[in-house]
């Protein structure tokens, strides 16, 4: 198949609600995994309804026991993608058989926690394929079909998922994405025409249990076969439980480490707060002592002034420290007295107590004297090194 560009993908996905997001993710995936090809085909839902959907069909490379195997898969994208998870299947060729397990059912449908907890934009196609590669590297979903067929069904150690065999994992019938997302019927394996056939590669991991476990020549299952199957089942169960315990212990350890870090940060903040409070308390104590001393000084000064108020002359209350300052004080007092006199002359004129001629005569004399006082006071202030008053 020729390389599909963005324009062709957009044309194929014209009925998709989030076409641009879907095209972007498909382009990213097919650029990394060349064997996956986008194909439009009819998908048959469990209730018999059909819909034209996009699928990524091809193989993904999986490392198993030091070898690379190409696992055939088919990823169906709903028209509400990426807000609904893909429907994923393993597509074995005629030379392969599906190995059922906790992630694969007998129809080849793939069940992963990544699909069950799908949430855009944290989940995407590229991340899904990465998870598949890791999971399939631990438990291959297919194995080579035996070249000779036994006269009746052989005892198989790896059968459909058993809830009692895998503690903590639901049965296949109840495991998977939330039912009916976006109004779709339950995700089930499509009918025979649900997606086109894909020719798979020639090499896949071999299921050793099927090739080594089977009936003896006389048609009965030997004790060694049963013992080996039981040992394999118990070992798998123990490994699974040990992995669960280790994962749970690691999660608890991580939680405890985070709690310890939070407690250390909180302890450091509390120490800083206590140190600041101690400094503030010491500062407040010093201010209290200072205020007490000032209060005592003010009380003594007030008491002293109350005792001397009867014998004090108002002119003796303010005594300048130098004759020049005394001259400035007298000039200022006389200038303000002239200002008050002019004001009251105006009030007398307004009320008709004096006539205009008398008012103008006195105002002219007082203004001339006021000007002289101000000029003399300015000269005295300049001599004393004080700023200009006017």
């Amino acid at each position: 198949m020729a390389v599909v560009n963005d324009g062709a993908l957009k044309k194929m996905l014209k009925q998709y609600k989030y076409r641009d997001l879907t095209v972007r993710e498909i382009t990213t995936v097919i650029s990394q995994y060349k064997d996956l090809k986008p194909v439009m085909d009819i998908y048959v839902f469990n209730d018999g309804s059909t819909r034209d959907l996009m699928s990524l069909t091809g193989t993904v490379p999986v490392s198993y026991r030091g070898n690379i195997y190409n696992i055939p898969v088919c990823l169906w994208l709903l028209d509400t993608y990426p807000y609904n998870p893909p429907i994923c299947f393993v597509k074995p060729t005629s030379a392969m058989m599906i190995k059922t397990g906790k992630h694969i059912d007998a129809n080849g449908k793939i069940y992963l926690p990544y699909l069950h907890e799908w949430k855009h934009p944290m989940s995407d196609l590229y991340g899904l394929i990465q998870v598949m590669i890791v999971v399939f590297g631990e438990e291959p979903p297919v194995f080579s079909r035996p070249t000779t067929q036994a006269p009746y069904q052989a005892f198989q150690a790896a059968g459909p998922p058993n809830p009692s065999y895998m503690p903590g994992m639901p049965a296949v019938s109840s495991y998977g994405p939330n039912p009916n997302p976006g109004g779709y019927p339950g995700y089930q394996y499509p009918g025979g025409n649900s997606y086109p056939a894909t020719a798979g590669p020639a090499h896949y991991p071999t299921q050793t249990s099927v090739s080594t476990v089977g009936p003896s020549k006389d048609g009965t299952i030997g004790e060694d076969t049963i013992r080996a199957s039981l040992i394999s089942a118990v070992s798998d169960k123990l490994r699974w439980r040990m992995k669960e315990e280790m994962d749970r212990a690691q999660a608890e350890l991580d939680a405890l480490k985070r709690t310890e870090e939070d407690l250390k940060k909180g302890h450091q903040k509390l120490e800083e707060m206590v140190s600041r409070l101690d400094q503030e308390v010491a500062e407040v104590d010093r201010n209290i002592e200072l205020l007490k001393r000032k209060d005592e000084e003010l009380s003594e000064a007030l008491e002293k002034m109350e005792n001397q108020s009867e014998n004090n002359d108002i002119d003796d209350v303010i005594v300048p420290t130098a004759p020049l300052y005394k001259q400035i004080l007298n000039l200022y007092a006389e200038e303000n007295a002239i200002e008050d006199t002019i004001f009251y002359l105006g009030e007398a004129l307004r009320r008709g107590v004096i006539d205009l001629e008398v008012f103008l005569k006195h105002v002219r004399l007082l203004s001339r004297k006021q000007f002289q006082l101000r000029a003399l006071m300015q000269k005295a202030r300049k001599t004393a090194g004080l700023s200009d008053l006017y």
Side-chain angles (χ1 to χ4, degrees):
M1 178 183 293
V3 177
V4 181
N5 55 30
D6 290 353
L9 284 175
K10 289 181 179 180
K11 186 175 181 180
M12 297 166 68
L13 299 173
K14 59 183 178 181
Q15 81 278 15
Y16 275 60
K17 297 180 179 179
Y18 311 101
R19 182 180 64 179
D20 293 339
L21 292 175
T22 306
V23 169
R24 188 181 307 125
E25 291 197 18
I26 291 175
T27 303
T28 301
V29 168
I30 62 179
S31 65
Q32 296 294 326
Y33 301 97
K34 306 296 184 181
D35 292 335
L36 290 176
K37 307 298 181 183
V39 178
M40 288 297 297
D41 204 349
I42 298 175
Y43 183 88
V44 181
F45 290 94
N46 192 42
D47 60 354
S49 61
T50 61
R51 185 165 298 183
D52 288 332
L53 296 178
M54 168 67 71
S55 68
L56 289 177
T57 305
T59 61
V60 293
V62 174
S63 176
Y64 180 70
R65 294 183 180 179
N67 296 321
I68 301 298
Y69 299 92
N70 293 319
I71 303 299
V73 295
C74 181
L75 313 179
W76 290 90
L77 308 181
L78 300 174
D79 57 10
T80 55
Y81 184 86
Y83 291 95
N84 288 104
I87 308 175
C88 306
F89 293 91
V90 174
K91 289 183 56 181
T93 63
S94 59
M96 309 174 203
M97 293 181 64
I98 294 175
K99 179 183 177 182
T100 58
K102 58 179 176 291
H103 299 301
I104 307 294
D105 65 9
N107 292 325
K109 188 174 181 180
I110 300 172
Y111 299 91
L112 294 171
Y114 192 88
L115 290 170
H116 185 67
E117 300 169 359
W118 184 276
K119 186 176 181 181
H120 180 76
M122 283 73 75
S123 305
D124 56 16
L125 274 178
Y126 186 76
L128 172 61
I129 295 175
Q130 293 293 316
V131 172
M132 283 186 183
I133 291 174
V134 173
V135 172
F136 293 166
E138 295 178 355
E139 298 182 10
V142 293
F143 60 93
S144 299
R145 185 181 297 275
T147 55
T148 58
Q149 189 70 23
Y152 60 91
Q153 183 177 3
F155 177 84
Q156 296 184 10
N162 185 357
S164 63
Y165 177 70
M166 291 175 291
M169 295 297 293
V172 170
S173 60
S174 62
Y175 182 84
N178 293 328
N180 300 328
Y184 283 101
Y187 299 161
Q188 299 295 332
Y189 184 71
N193 61 344
S194 59
Y195 50 79
T198 302
H203 300 287
Y204 292 87
T206 302
Q207 169 66 321
T208 55
S209 60
V210 173
S211 60
T212 58
V213 178
S216 60
K217 293 181 178 180
D218 57 358
T220 61
I221 300 174
E223 293 182 358
D224 293 340
T225 302
I226 296 175
R227 184 183 299 107
S229 178
L230 291 175
I231 291 174
S232 175
V234 171
S235 299
D236 290 342
K237 188 173 184 179
L238 289 175
R239 279 195 297 270
W240 176 252
R241 288 189 175 179
M242 184 180 297
K243 186 176 183 301
E244 280 190 338
E245 292 295 331
M246 290 180 65
D247 292 343
R248 183 168 62 252
Q250 185 63 37
E252 293 177 355
L253 182 61
D254 293 341
L256 290 174
K257 286 183 178 179
R258 289 194 297 270
T259 304
E260 181 184 10
E261 292 177 357
D262 293 339
L263 290 175
K264 286 182 178 179
K265 293 179 181 177
H267 180 68
Q268 184 178 359
K269 289 182 179 179
L270 287 175
E271 288 183 346
E272 293 175 355
M273 293 173 63
V274 169
S275 177
R276 287 197 301 269
L277 288 175
D278 291 340
Q279 295 175 1
E280 292 177 359
V281 168
E283 184 68 22
V284 169
D285 290 339
R286 288 194 297 270
N287 291 334
I288 290 174
E289 292 297 328
L290 179 61
L291 289 174
K292 285 182 179 180
R293 290 196 300 269
K294 295 297 182 181
D295 183 65
E296 293 176 357
E297 293 176 1
L298 289 174
S299 298
E300 292 176 359
L302 181 61
E303 183 179 357
K304 183 178 179 180
M305 298 219 22
E306 287 177 352
N307 294 334
Q308 297 178 357
S309 61
E310 296 179 357
N311 302 325
N312 288 338
D313 186 1
I314 190 64
D315 294 331
D316 298 333
V317 173
I318 300 176
V319 180
T321 59
L324 183 59
Y325 294 153
K326 185 175 181 179
Q327 182 184 7
I328 294 173
L329 177 61
N330 293 332
L331 291 171
Y332 184 76
E334 189 174 356
E335 191 268 337
N336 277 278
I338 292 175
E339 187 75 25
D340 292 341
T341 302
I342 294 174
F343 172 77
Y344 283 109
L345 283 174
E347 288 293 316
L349 177 64
R350 186 177 62 81
R351 294 179 182 181
V353 177
I354 60 176
D355 56 12
L356 179 61
E357 185 179 354
V358 174
F359 172 77
L360 292 175
K361 179 180 178 181
H362 286 84
V363 167
R364 188 164 48 249
L365 294 173
L366 291 172
S367 297
R368 184 181 295 111
K369 188 173 182 180
Q370 186 182 32
F371 176 78
Q372 293 174 352
L373 290 172
R374 286 186 177 182
L376 184 58
M377 185 168 51
Q378 284 288 87
K379 186 175 181 180
R381 289 180 64 87
K382 185 176 181 180
T383 303
L386 302 175
S387 61
D388 293 339
L389 187 62
Y390 302 104

